[in-house]
Amino acid sequence: MITLALSKGRIFDETTPMLAAMGIEPLEHPEKSRKLILGTNRPDLRLLIVRASDVPTYVQYGAADLGIAGSDVLVEHGGDGLYQPVDLGIAKCRMSLCAAQDLDVETMIRRGARLRVATKYLQTTRRYFADRGIHADLIKLYGSMELAPLVGLADVIVDLVSTGATLKANGLREVEVIGPVSSRLIVNQASLKLRYDQLEPLVQAFAQHTK
Ligand code: PRT
Ligand code: MG
């Protein structure tokens, strides 16, 4: 049995057409079924539905052989025990530094002010500010980062931006793009060595069906 871990929502929705092109059909849809293990039309392949940020952990420990995870999530996880052989080009967005429309962050930075930064992405954020020599105090949040600057929890946020609609709706602006984000196929390193003949064809199939 080959086990592929992925999250429901945008990653599942953008993976399904790729799987279809590879001749693979899930037997159920995760939004309709409450099952967390979904069979496919391939008797030797099943899907695990897990939280987006848990995908690398399932694959790292071999509970899943393969997974699909955003590069944002992989940077935070650290990538231990994982190969990242294919950039699937799905669930694309960008990681950005954002602030309230009326906050002059550029001047604050130029004057060497300490910034209070709310984010779910501590590793990415720490590295970004360290590389620029900007003093930053990080506040860890698990979601709805856009709220933090509006209620004085933080000066700025580091979050994912896609259309920009969420920033706009909350009176925020993108100060700087930190980098592009897309989803990767990840593989457990030990699984790939031990079951190369089973897993490598699937890795190749994904590589041929990237967006
Ligand atoms: O929801 P949950 O807490 O379970 O986990 P999650 O939010 O990490 O999962 P999910 O399914 O929302 O995201 C999975 C992956 O999709 C992320 O890890 C990213 O790699 C990728 N992705 C692509 C995005 C977006 N686009 C995106 N726009 N993830 C989140 N967003 C959010 C963003 O955080 C912000 O709140 O959408 C909002 C901005 O969207 P716009 O279009 O208004 O700019
Ligand atoms: Mg989400």
Side-chain angles (χ1 to χ4, degrees), residues 133-144:
I134 300 169
H135 302 292
D137 295 316
L138 274 46
I139 299 171
K140 165 87 182 183
L141 290 179
Y142 292 88
S144 302

Side-chain angles (χ1 to χ4, degrees), residues 123-135 178:
Q123 305 303 327
T124 306
T125 302
R126 199 171 286 128
R127 191 176 310 160
Y128 169 79
F129 284 108
D131 286 350
R132 279 159 188 74
I134 300 169
H135 302 292
I178 296 175

Side-chain angles (χ1 to χ4, degrees), residues 6 9-26 29 68 90 205-206 209-211:
L6 76 178
R10 69 189 99 222
I11 290 187
F12 184 90
D13 295 345
E14 293 195 41
T15 300
T16 315
M18 296 177 73
L19 290 174
M22 293 158 57
I24 298 166
E25 305 277 352
H29 192 287
I68 298 177
I90 59 168
F206 272 109
H209 292 92
T210 57
K211 248 170 91 182

Side-chain angles (χ1 to χ4, degrees), residues 96-109 112-119 125 128-129 134-141 145-159 167 170-176:
S96 292
L97 174 66
C98 307
Q101 296 281 8
D102 55 7
L103 186 74
D104 188 355
V105 184
E106 289 83 354
T107 299
M108 288 177 74
I109 292 173
R114 283 193 89 86
L115 289 181
R116 275 213 302 189
V117 189
T119 189
T125 302
Y128 169 79
F129 284 108
I134 300 169
H135 302 292
D137 295 316
L138 274 46
I139 299 171
K140 165 87 182 183
L141 290 179
M145 269 80 81
E146 293 89 353
L147 182 61
L150 307 181
V151 294
L153 178 62
D155 301 309
V156 295
I157 61 171
V158 168
D159 194 8
L167 293 180
N170 291 291
L172 304 178
R173 70 182 171 101
E174 225 170 336
V175 176
E176 192 176 7

